[in-house]
Amino acid sequence: MRHTLPVGALAAAALLALSACASDTGSSPSGEASGGSEIALVKDGVLTVCSNPPFEPFEFEDASGEIVGLDIDLNREVAKDLGVDVQVVATPFDTIQSGAALNTGACDVVASGITITDDRKEKFDFSEPYFDADQGLLVPAGSDLRDVADLAGKKVAVQMATTGEKWAQENDLTTVQFEDLGLQIQALETGQVDAVVNDIAVLGAYTSEGYEVANTFPTGEQYGLGVKKGNTALLDAVNATLDRIHEDGTYDAIYTERVGTAPVSK
């Protein structure tokens, strides 16, 4: 359902140093949507975002060690609309997708290329979709691995608790589980695995490193930002920001900068 409360936004200001913030949940801090409504945040004056880098171009460390990316840019817009700063907390993806990061007060928003699924909807509330995603296959350049049949008997690196892992298991592939994309790539480099399966949008970053994207597997997935179950004020603010940046062109600019191509119009 589309929410029509005042514009709310995600990240603002420069990302602060990575640090846990669960210990700061004792007070009842807040931010304000543009219409003046108060929104409770886990830290006063800060939108805290849990993310799981490396997952370029959505979240990754730049040369200075700061976490940047499309998801962070979106949260920056939300925070700007709320009139608060942003803090990004590096968090295991399983803690994000299970809802634990939100339920323990570690953050206000989870943003890590999270595919919207019915199972996850039971654990936390999703924003409107903001990115269409499919699964992809990354292999060493020159490999003859191209499709599911070619992967029979091969070791395929998957990221734990992701839809990519579920897809690989449903296709009866021999999977090796890793905590994040960076470890998947490392395993491919060292020959522990024969191929990597993950969201197609994040695999292109490695094609200049001796790898190639061998195939795209359409799955109809969409990403959403997550907030704690029942936190309708923040969810309304997030959705209002997403509406605003789609209308004023900000989303297209962010997408083009981070992905390298303009989003496809529907």
Side-chain angles (χ1 to χ4, degrees):
M1 178 179 294
R2 179 61 62 87
H3 298 280
T4 56
L5 291 189
V7 174
L10 295 173
L15 306 176
L16 305 180
L18 300 180
S19 61
C21 59
S23 61
D24 295 307
T25 59
S27 58
S28 55
S30 64
E32 282 195 2
S34 60
S37 58
E38 190 173 277
I39 296 175
L41 301 173
V42 298
K43 295 184 74 172
D44 193 10
V46 177
L47 183 73
T48 307
V49 181
C50 284
S51 191
N52 179 237
F55 201 66
E56 190 174 355
F58 298 94
E59 35 271 323
F60 60 98
E61 289 190 12
D62 65 11
S64 69
E66 181 178 70
I67 299 180
V68 297
L70 188 149
D71 282 342
I72 310 308
D73 294 339
L74 296 184
N75 278 280
R76 207 173 263 127
E77 292 297 319
V78 172
K80 180 173 72 175
D81 287 347
L82 292 176
V84 298
D85 293 329
V86 173
Q87 182 177 30
V88 179
V89 181
T91 308
F93 188 76
D94 187 50
T95 304
I96 290 173
Q97 70 89 32
S98 68
L102 294 167
N103 292 332
T104 59
C107 50
D108 304 296
V109 176
V110 288
S112 197
I114 310 168
T115 297
I116 300 170
T117 67
D118 290 339
D119 180 59
R120 290 171 182 165
K121 284 180 180 179
E122 295 179 359
K123 300 168 183 174
F124 54 91
D125 290 335
F126 274 104
S127 71
E128 300 167 357
Y130 67 88
F131 196 94
D132 295 331
D134 292 311
Q135 293 301 310
L137 179 68
L138 188 74
V139 298
S143 170
D144 58 0
L145 300 178
R146 288 291 180 270
D147 55 32
V148 172
D150 295 334
L151 295 172
K154 303 296 184 180
K155 292 182 179 179
V156 179
V158 296
Q159 185 176 354
M160 64 183 297
T162 63
T163 52
E165 178 181 36
K166 182 179 180 181
W167 177 88
Q169 292 171 343
E170 289 174 344
N171 282 276
D172 297 321
L173 301 182
T174 300
T175 61
V176 182
Q177 189 184 67
F178 296 91
E179 186 171 314
D180 59 47
L181 175 60
L183 294 176
Q184 286 181 272
I185 301 301
Q186 187 178 70
L188 185 60
E189 179 181 0
T190 59
Q192 297 178 59
V193 298
D194 301 292
V196 166
V197 166
N198 210 314
D199 291 5
I200 187 65
V202 304
L203 297 181
Y206 300 95
T207 56
S208 62
E209 301 179 15
Y211 306 111
E212 61 179 303
V213 177
N215 205 343
T216 299
F217 305 111
T219 56
E221 297 175 51
Q222 292 183 304
Y223 293 165
L225 303 172
V227 304
K228 187 175 181 178
K229 201 84 177 161
N231 191 351
T232 55
L234 181 56
L235 183 63
D236 288 342
V238 168
N239 281 331
T241 291
L242 292 177
D243 288 345
R244 191 262 298 170
I245 63 176
H246 276 96
E247 292 168 1
D248 67 14
T250 300
Y251 178 83
D252 285 4
I254 290 172
Y255 187 109
T256 301
E257 177 185 357
R258 294 303 184 183
V259 178
T261 60
V264 177
S265 299
K266 294 184 176 181

